[in-house]
Amino acid sequence: MRIVVAEDLFLLRDGLVRLVEAYGHTVVAAVGSGPDTLEALLGHRPDVAIVDVRLPPTFSDEGLQAALAARRAVPGLPVLILSQHVEQLYARDLLADGHGGIGYQLKDRVLDAGQFMDAVQRVADGGTALDPTVVAKLLGRPTRADPLATLTERERSVLALMAEGLSNTAIAARLFLSEGSISKYTTTIFAKLGLTDDDDTNRRVRAVLAYLGADSQDEQ
């Protein structure tokens, strides 16, 4: 994969570059500011970008704003956000365009290189890779009166794990259920959310977006 890394701390940026390259991927740009991030994303249009939220010059939300601007120009451009904290607004803004290819990982919870690179791959493939803490924060908002209210507690558990980017096999292991049972749950979830006329990968992403209350249609 062709990857852009945006991180202001040199040691972390260099570490991310070395990690990505160790897994056989190519870093097409490694930058440390908001303006440079946007330029790199639009200039290289990478397979995926790893972006810190807070970048120079003001260390507020330059990384996020660069990612949002790039995804407006290139819909669906895969972006994996790295942050020290859960920022609900940041995550919602990224999810609100209705496209997949979004990840939000907390720096202090990334404990394994393989786990992190798996999240990068899922985002590059157009899926989601949201830290469980991020999912929990987003789901703290009141449930709307829509088809989501028809989901059972088990179906919500399955969908929450789907938001993390887990496969049916991984979800089955986490919930101590058979893979066949999870397949039935996902089929029911898609039906309840009216996602029956699309391919399975896209339906998973659209179901996650709807579950997190960030479907683009809801923002209009």
Side-chain angles (χ1 to χ4, degrees), residues 8 14 24 46 50 56 62 84 88 98 102 109 131 137 161 175:
D8 64 295
D14 186 61
I50 302 170
E62 284 86 351
Q84 293 283 9
Q88 291 183 355
I102 285 296
R109 287 173 56 90
D131 185 278
K137 285 284 187 179
L161 294 174
L175 297 179

Side-chain angles (χ1 to χ4, degrees), residues 64-76:
L64 170 79
Q65 294 303 329
L68 290 172
R71 281 174 65 88
R72 285 193 292 269
V74 186

Side-chain angles (χ1 to χ4, degrees), residues 46-212:
D47 297 313
V48 63
I50 302 170
V51 180
D52 186 16
V53 169
R54 300 181 180 183
L55 295 174
T58 68
F59 294 96
S60 57
D61 62 355
E62 284 86 351
L64 170 79
Q65 294 303 329
L68 290 172
R71 281 174 65 88
R72 285 193 292 269
V74 186
L77 180 71
V79 175
L80 174 61
I81 292 292
L82 277 178
S83 178
Q84 293 283 9
H85 310 286
V86 179
E87 300 285 357
Q88 291 183 355
L89 180 61
Y90 293 164
R92 289 188 64 196
D93 284 346
L94 283 168
L95 291 164
D97 65 8
H99 294 284
I102 285 296
Y104 194 122
Q105 298 289 309
L106 300 180
K107 291 180 179 179
D108 61 355
R109 287 173 56 90
V110 177
L111 305 176
D112 178 81
Q115 172 197 29
F116 177 71
M117 290 307 301
D118 182 59
V120 171
Q121 184 66 63
R122 291 200 303 272
V123 172
D125 290 340
T128 57
L130 305 179
D131 185 278
T133 305
V134 176
V135 175
K137 285 284 187 179
L138 288 171
L139 296 182
R141 296 178 296 116
T143 302
R144 300 163 300 150
D146 62 11
L148 291 175
T150 68
L151 297 181
T152 66
E153 183 177 351
R154 177 65 78 186
E155 289 163 354
R156 286 176 173 272
S157 296
V158 170
L159 195 44
L161 294 174
M162 201 184 295
E164 295 178 32
L166 273 62
S167 65
N168 282 0
T169 302
I171 293 173
R174 185 76 66 86
L175 297 179
F176 302 101
L177 296 171
S178 69
E179 188 172 349
S181 295
I182 299 302
S183 180
K184 291 179 181 178
Y185 279 124
T186 58
T187 299
T188 301
I189 290 168
F190 295 152
K192 286 185 176 181
L193 298 182
L195 305 175
T196 57
D197 298 320
D198 220 328
D199 66 271
D200 187 66
T201 299
N202 194 39
R203 285 192 298 176
R204 292 175 78 90
V205 172
R206 291 171 60 199
V208 167
L209 298 182
Y211 186 44
L212 298 178

